[in-house]
Amino acid sequence: MNFDDTPQEAAFRAQVRAWIDANAPKELEAELKQATFGNSGLTSGDPIALAKAWQKKKADAGWACLHWPPEYGGRGATPIERVIWGQEEGVYGSLGGLFIIGHGMCGPTLMAWASEEQKRKLLPPLASGEEVWCQLFSEPAGGSDLAGLRTRAERANDGTGDWIIRGQKIWTSGAQNSDYGILITRTDPDVPKHKGLTMFWLSMKSPGVEIRPIKQANGQSGFNEVFFTDVRIPDAQRLGAVGQGWTVSLTTLMNERLSIGSGMPTGFPELFDYCLNLQTEDGPAVDNPMVRSRLAQYAVKASGLKYTGMRAISALSKGETPGPENSIGKLVAGASMQELAMFALDLQGETGVINDPRHAQAAQKFQAMLLRSPATRVEGGTDEILRNIIAERVLGLPGDIRVDKDVPFKDIPTSGRG
Amino acid sequence: MNFDFSDEQKQLRDEARKFLADRCSPATVRVILEGPEPYDRALWKGLGEMGFLGAAIPEAYGGVGLGHLELCVIAEELGRANAPVPMASSIYLAAEALMLWGTEAQKTAWLPRLASGAAVGTLALGEGVGRVTERTIKAQMAGGKLSGVKMPVADGDVADVAVVAAREATGVSLYLVDLAGPGVSRETLETIDPTRSQARIIFDGAPAERLGEAGQGWRLASDLLDRAAVLMAFEQVGGSDRALEMARDYALERMAFGRQIGSFQAIKHMLADMYVAATLARSNAYYGAWALSTDSPELPVAAATARVSATQAYQHCAKNNIQVHGGMGFTWAFDCHLFYRRANALALALGSQTTWEDLLIERMRRRNDAPAAA
């Protein structure tokens, strides 16, 4: 049992480290370390331009999407090499937030379902960050119940075979910065809900696409609503067969859960550091037994996630598939961050309410964490969906009884909106 | 990176699981729960014959000469089987103390017998209610004779030898006491987990010889508890997994409202949370195993991390195993309470959860204060 690289891994790590050392935008390091939740920390330039510049530089040297095949813009690296890259890229990796959806979900979906010609055309600029992609899945009427979506795609009646899209998506991350998107639609409302779906890709500049930012509960705007008014998509931009959209979407969603070893933040290092420095009447907060007890509970969660990640990396290093234990990451991190933020504010007494940078510089990050953390427990699979997944796929418990399973979509009761 | 047990170690785990499936069924655990025997002597002898007791003891002292990683995988299986044997007292504590600090004569006298199971050892540290600290150790050593009252002493009623913390002019030291010798009287205590026995031992001028450096007894005991905590964390992880499996199996089998109860989200989510706790505990236990097996300076933090996480997980899984079983889970006939008893007994053995939480944060703080290591 050890944390050591194999000789090949060590050689690869040295190569990565040397390149990053020579090429990383070190002038941004201090700013990137100041990042808080929902805020990149970048103040010295346009965050999007800076992200694209770093991605392009990586791509030109063969370090973009390195696990993808070279003909699609990657370098054909192994999973463990990808993990090593992530470890070495460190704080600069956070510049890549703009590309997470495109690289993590849209790219793999295109790789599995687009034509060879389309893959060679679309994937390299996606990898290099010259083109940004988003994922148009959730709807007002279809979140956890994604297959309940209502955005319609109908054949144009002009003989072109094109599709006409009408409807609305919601919670689309980064739509305002995206050039393209993958879009799941309903093509047949007369069959049960999972069977009448079809997937497309489209330009976000298509006529009839309107993007409106959502003002979130924490005051920021990272997500969007996207409206489709008679948007025309050529049939050649269909991914998979008509009616096969659900299967295609599973490719995307499986990839969402494959980001291993990246380590979900829990907020513990920040809290521990805060408790070391917070002076109370009886000395530093960390000396208080009640504080220690709470800190210890958060510490073992953070540590448990870290070493669960190490176990997955070890499996990759041996060429094995990691076990299901990584499914716990977001569930643990999201809930513990929220509790931890509340505790951090409690430690501040009545001033915990202050979110004013003139008076709360040391602690303001916990206020941001508090206000952002409800989203972590919902986005990319709610806590409840994640527990269902663990119960069903890991523990082998039966699926929910689905009252809408064999009912034509148009006959399923809805809650009104949509 | 290879943050995992080797194939040989996994084979050993399978071997231990098979052995315990044959020799330590819930029915045999119940013999100890319900009967007068303090532990399963036949099983204990068998564990000795299989080389499981001596896994980490050098061959020169009658052991198998493997290492602590091997002991970790065996511990996990003992926890899973809820084995009613004095493994922690005799092997994680007494044998470990002798290996670390024993003189040649002390090692030769005791280790071979501990490795074979012919003798049982234990650690006698605490003297009453509350957290044990250096100050709470009142037992006295004078002229080679030890006097004082120790309670609780795990397996103290059946042990042949004890490592005892006591005080003399130089401060607290550890001493080795032959419990068959003069000046020792003891009584078995009733506990929440009768499958693991506890005793009160009165030392009244019992002959004792020092084990390890004089005046350093508290530091040594603390090191010893860290090492044992990692091994016990594996017992707790094994118990957590078994409790989760029992709950899962029952949720699949039990029908109510015309369907398997495991199809209700209230049950599914409870089981998912048990899986989360057990998984975090396992990963933290691996961290402890790594630190123990490499003698890492991280061991104090790793041991406390493994311990806090494993205690949480086992208590969580054991109590919710009963909950999933409903009323049947509260019957004597169902095995759920065996795991509930053991989970809560292990949560206190080696020190309470709040003690370990305090130690964890204190140690993280000290690590933070230390000049950055290269």
Side-chain angles (χ1 to χ4, degrees):
Chain A
M1 192 176 265
N2 64 65
F3 296 105
D4 305 336
D5 286 334
T6 65
Q8 295 93 317
E9 288 162 8
F12 182 79
R13 189 183 298 279
Q15 190 190 355
V16 169
R17 194 171 287 181
W19 189 85
I20 289 176
D21 192 49
N23 292 283
K26 290 182 181 157
E27 66 281 5
L28 302 177
E29 186 181 350
E31 288 175 50
L32 289 169
K33 284 182 174 164
Q34 291 306 310
T36 55
F37 295 87
N39 179 352
S40 68
L42 293 170
T43 51
S44 65
D46 170 23
I48 291 179
L50 292 168
K52 288 192 168 190
W54 175 230
Q55 191 63 25
K56 183 70 169 67
K57 197 169 191 180
K58 290 194 288 185
D60 289 346
W63 296 111
C65 296
L66 57 173
H67 57 300
W68 290 8
E71 61 270 30
Y72 304 139
R75 71 185 290 131
T78 62
I80 190 70
E81 287 174 338
R82 184 186 173 200
V83 168
I84 291 170
W85 168 269
Q87 291 170 340
E88 295 298 323
E89 190 181 17
V91 70
Y92 304 108
S94 64
L95 278 168
L98 179 64
F99 310 113
I100 286 177
I101 303 280
H103 292 163
M105 300 174 76
C106 303
T109 306
L110 292 169
M111 220 157 324
W113 298 96
S115 70
E116 187 57 33
E117 187 193 339
Q118 289 175 338
K119 286 196 272 189
R120 287 179 186 268
K121 176 168 164 274
L122 299 171
L123 289 170
L126 199 178
S128 67
E130 288 162 279
E131 290 171 355
V132 177
W133 284 64
C134 64
Q135 182 220 145
L136 298 147
F137 277 28
S138 293
E139 296 190 10
S144 291
D145 181 17
L146 176 61
L149 62 91
R150 307 169 71 86
T151 292
R152 283 300 310 273
E154 291 178 288
R155 290 276 191 184
N157 51 15
D158 58 4
T160 56
D162 291 352
W163 295 85
I164 306 298
I165 315 295
R166 296 185 189 94
Q168 182 199 346
K169 296 289 174 178
I170 195 171
W171 303 119
T172 313
S173 308
Q176 76 278 29
N177 303 315
S178 291
D179 302 287
Y180 294 95
I182 57 174
L183 170 70
I184 187 163
T185 63
R186 181 161 308 279
T187 40
D188 187 352
D190 296 323
V191 294
K193 64 181 185 177
H194 290 90
K195 293 179 180 157
L197 304 175
T198 303
M199 188 81 80
F200 299 93
W201 62 269
L202 85 165
S203 164
M204 293 300 284
K205 313 289 189 292
S206 305
V209 174
E210 188 198 345
I211 299 162
R212 291 185 207 157
I214 297 170
K215 184 164 185 183
Q216 298 158 198
N218 66 344
Q220 296 178 334
S221 293
F223 301 100
N224 302 275
E225 290 180 292
V226 181
F227 295 86
F228 298 86
T229 310
D230 298 331
V231 175
R232 185 175 281 261
I233 301 182
D235 190 51
Q237 292 178 206
R238 176 164 42 79
L239 295 168
V242 174
Q244 205 184 4
W246 183 251
T247 307
V248 179
S249 77
L250 291 180
T251 315
T252 317
L253 298 173
M254 293 298 275
N255 275 284
E256 184 172 29
R257 303 195 173 100
L258 267 182
S259 53
I260 280 163
S262 50
M264 292 284 297
T266 60
F268 174 73
E270 291 86 350
L271 179 67
F272 183 63
D273 192 54
Y274 183 66
C275 290
L276 286 175
N277 293 304
L278 178 66
Q279 292 302 320
T280 71
E281 202 178 338
D282 305 316
V286 73
D287 284 351
N288 179 311
M290 181 276 290
V291 172
R292 286 190 177 195
S293 176
R294 291 288 291 267
L295 280 174
Q297 290 164 30
Y298 301 129
V300 301
K301 283 183 182 163
S303 161
L305 287 185
K306 175 180 168 185
Y307 292 106
T308 300
M310 296 290 185
R311 289 167 60 200
I313 293 170
S314 298
L316 291 177
S317 175
K318 285 188 266 185
E320 296 165 4
T321 307
E325 57 273 1
N326 280 282
S327 54
I328 70 171
K330 194 178 85 77
L331 182 58
V332 174
S336 75
M337 184 184 288
Q338 189 170 41
E339 287 171 27
L340 179 154
M342 290 178 186
F343 180 61
L345 266 58
D346 185 81
L347 288 172
Q348 295 160 31
E350 289 194 56
T351 60
V353 75
I354 306 295
N355 198 18
D356 185 328
R358 291 169 302 174
H359 294 285
Q361 273 154 336
Q364 213 189 349
K365 66 181 70 155
F366 299 110
Q367 279 76 11
M369 214 182 265
L370 175 82
L371 294 175
R372 178 60 174 77
S373 56
T376 310
R377 297 185 53 202
V378 172
E379 62 197 354
T382 62
D383 283 5
E384 292 66 38
I385 290 290
L386 295 176
R387 286 192 176 96
N388 279 355
I389 289 172
I390 291 170
E392 292 169 23
R393 299 200 199 149
V394 182
L395 300 176
L397 291 160
D400 276 354
I401 292 174
R402 294 176 193 273
V403 295
D404 58 359
K405 193 166 179 249
D406 299 314
V407 180
F409 177 74
K410 62 180 168 46
D411 299 331
I412 296 173
T414 68
S415 47
R417 191 179 169 197
Chain B
M1 178 177 302
N2 186 19
F3 185 57
D4 194 5
F5 290 98
S6 69
D7 290 343
E8 292 75 20
Q9 287 154 357
K10 288 177 187 169
Q11 268 168 27
L12 178 64
R13 171 159 57 201
D14 294 345
E15 215 177 293
R17 181 171 300 191
K18 193 168 167 298
F19 175 81
L20 288 161
D22 289 346
R23 302 281 294 271
C24 185
S25 68
T28 65
V29 179
R30 278 177 181 272
V31 171
I32 305 305
L33 175 75
E34 295 168 355
E37 280 296 312
Y39 71 102
D40 186 336
R41 293 175 201 273
L43 175 62
W44 186 243
K45 187 159 176 284
L47 291 169
E49 286 162 2
M50 289 297 288
F52 294 152
L53 303 184
I57 297 175
E59 285 176 277
Y61 301 106
V64 184
L66 295 168
H68 287 91
L69 291 177
E70 285 76 9
L71 203 49
C72 287
V73 299
I74 293 166
E76 182 181 336
E77 295 309 316
L78 291 169
R80 213 184 143 72
N82 217 339
V85 290
M87 184 76 175
S89 307
S90 198
I91 302 300
Y92 313 159
L93 292 165
E96 196 69 27
L98 283 160
M99 286 194 283
L100 288 167
W101 310 301
T103 63
E104 191 55 37
Q106 288 168 334
K107 289 199 264 196
T108 310
W110 289 107
L111 283 176
R113 298 176 60 203
L114 296 180
S116 70
V120 170
T122 190
L123 172 71
L125 194 60
E127 302 184 7
V129 175
R131 179 175 176 171
V132 184
T133 67
E134 187 163 16
R135 282 197 306 276
T136 64
I137 293 171
K138 309 284 188 209
Q140 288 286 333
M141 184 68 189
K145 302 281 174 63
L146 196 148
S147 296
V149 180
K150 293 287 181 181
M151 184 194 83
V153 182
D155 307 296
D157 51 344
V158 296
D160 302 285
V161 61
V163 176
V164 186
R167 197 172 277 287
E168 60 183 335
T170 49
V172 172
S173 305
L174 298 182
Y175 299 90
L176 208 55
V177 179
D178 183 340
L179 297 176
V184 177
S185 57
R186 40 188 166 165
E187 56 179 330
T188 302
L189 306 173
E190 289 184 25
T191 78
I192 59 167
D193 179 14
T195 65
R196 301 287 294 101
S197 70
Q198 298 282 349
R200 176 168 177 268
I201 306 186
I202 301 164
F203 297 98
D204 185 9
E209 48 184 79
R210 191 159 44 74
L211 179 69
E213 204 180 330
Q216 295 297 312
W218 183 250
R219 185 176 59 79
L220 299 184
S222 173
D223 289 351
L224 187 61
L225 291 174
D226 282 352
R227 301 170 79 85
V230 172
L231 295 159
M232 195 174 277
F234 275 88
E235 288 196 10
Q236 293 169 301
V237 164
S240 304
D241 273 9
R242 184 67 199 122
L244 170 57
E245 281 172 20
M246 289 167 72
R248 191 263 322 264
D249 292 349
Y250 191 74
L252 287 171
E253 168 194 315
R254 170 78 178 177
M255 302 290 286
F257 303 100
R259 54 201 266 202
Q260 292 163 292
I261 62 166
S263 66
F264 290 107
Q265 288 197 352
I267 301 288
K268 285 162 81 168
H269 290 190
M270 192 167 15
L271 288 162
D273 286 340
M274 290 161 75
Y275 175 79
V276 167
T279 300
L280 291 173
R282 176 175 294 278
S283 298
N284 282 322
Y286 281 28
Y287 171 42
W290 164 79
L292 176 61
S293 66
T294 57
D295 265 322
S296 165
E298 288 269 304
L299 180 60
V301 169
T305 301
R307 165 72 184 187
V308 170
S309 191
T311 294
Q312 245 172 27
Y314 198 7
Q315 285 184 314
H316 183 85
C317 290
K319 76 178 181 188
N320 284 328
N321 182 32
I322 295 182
Q323 190 69 17
V324 168
H325 279 76
M328 297 313 291
F330 192 60
T331 61
W332 188 263
F334 270 54
D335 292 329
C336 303
H337 69 107
L338 301 179
F339 290 85
Y340 185 68
R341 289 170 184 279
R342 181 64 64 85
N344 286 290
L346 292 186
L348 302 168
L350 312 179
S352 69
Q353 183 74 332
T354 44
T355 300
W356 284 100
E357 286 172 345
D358 184 68
L359 289 172
L360 171 58
I361 298 306
E362 176 58 29
R363 291 162 178 189
M364 289 182 76
R365 183 190 179 176
R366 233 180 285 149
R367 182 177 66 179
N368 203 67
D369 290 345

